Amino acid sequence: MILSTGRTYIFIHIPKTGGTSLALALEQRAMKDDILVGDTPKAQRRNKRNRSLKTAGRLWKHSRLTDLRGLLPDQQMQEMFVFTLIRNPWDRMVSYYYWLRDQSFDHPAVHLAGRLDFEAFVLHPKIQ
């Protein structure tokens, strides 16, 4: 997630859509007061300054626009150009499945991806 008051935009990072690549490109032109949240190098370096920020929801890499309420006055927030990346749903699911197979944290989707082939994973009721 990137909020740039100087360039008047907010980038919302939807998981498994190529958002990290876009964040890396955007952060090369980041202004000093831009809020960068994520796992890119510049976002990691700015992580400490984000701790004092007050928001309506969780401030993290995949924050939703509604989570960001409180960072700016409502009128200023409405004037921002807000954008994201989307991905073909099938490609996104393939990416999600293979990403899950590399994870080791305790989550139902991680366990399902670890024991099911892709077709069974996609058709599983907990995934659908």
Side-chain angles (χ1 to χ4, degrees):
M1 187 286 299
I2 300 174
L3 187 150
S4 176
T5 55
R7 291 187 173 37
T8 63
Y9 76 79
I10 301 172
F11 167 61
I12 300 296
H13 184 165
I14 296 174
K16 311 315 298 167
T17 60
T20 300
S21 295
L22 182 56
L24 283 166
L26 291 170
E27 80 173 16
Q28 291 178 20
R29 297 183 38 88
M31 300 175 81
K32 68 177 184 168
D33 62 342
D34 286 355
I35 299 170
L36 309 171
V37 181
D39 49 14
T40 58
K42 197 172 279 187
Q44 289 293 311
R45 288 193 300 273
R46 294 187 183 191
N47 190 34
K48 286 182 187 171
R49 74 166 83 163
N50 295 339
R51 292 182 188 153
S52 64
L53 298 173
K54 302 292 183 217
T55 61
R58 182 176 172 200
L59 185 60
W60 69 303
K61 178 180 180 175
H62 300 299
S63 290
R64 300 168 301 163
L65 188 58
T66 57
D67 294 330
L68 304 182
R69 281 208 166 116
L71 288 178
L72 299 174
D74 288 344
Q75 181 63 35
Q76 188 178 4
M77 186 74 89
Q78 290 174 9
E79 294 169 357
M80 302 293 275
F81 176 71
V82 180
F83 65 100
T84 191
L85 293 175
I86 59 170
R87 189 174 190 174
N88 172 303
W90 184 258
D91 290 338
R92 185 171 181 236
M93 186 56 71
V94 170
S95 177
Y96 181 55
Y97 172 76
Y98 284 104
W99 176 79
L100 286 170
R101 289 180 63 88
D102 287 339
Q103 304 309 307
S104 59
F105 58 89
D106 186 23
H107 188 275
V110 172
H111 301 302
L112 287 172
R115 65 180 172 81
L116 300 175
D117 66 16
F118 180 71
E119 181 179 2
F121 175 79
V122 171
L123 296 175
H124 193 281
K126 286 188 177 180
I127 299 303
Q128 290 187 352

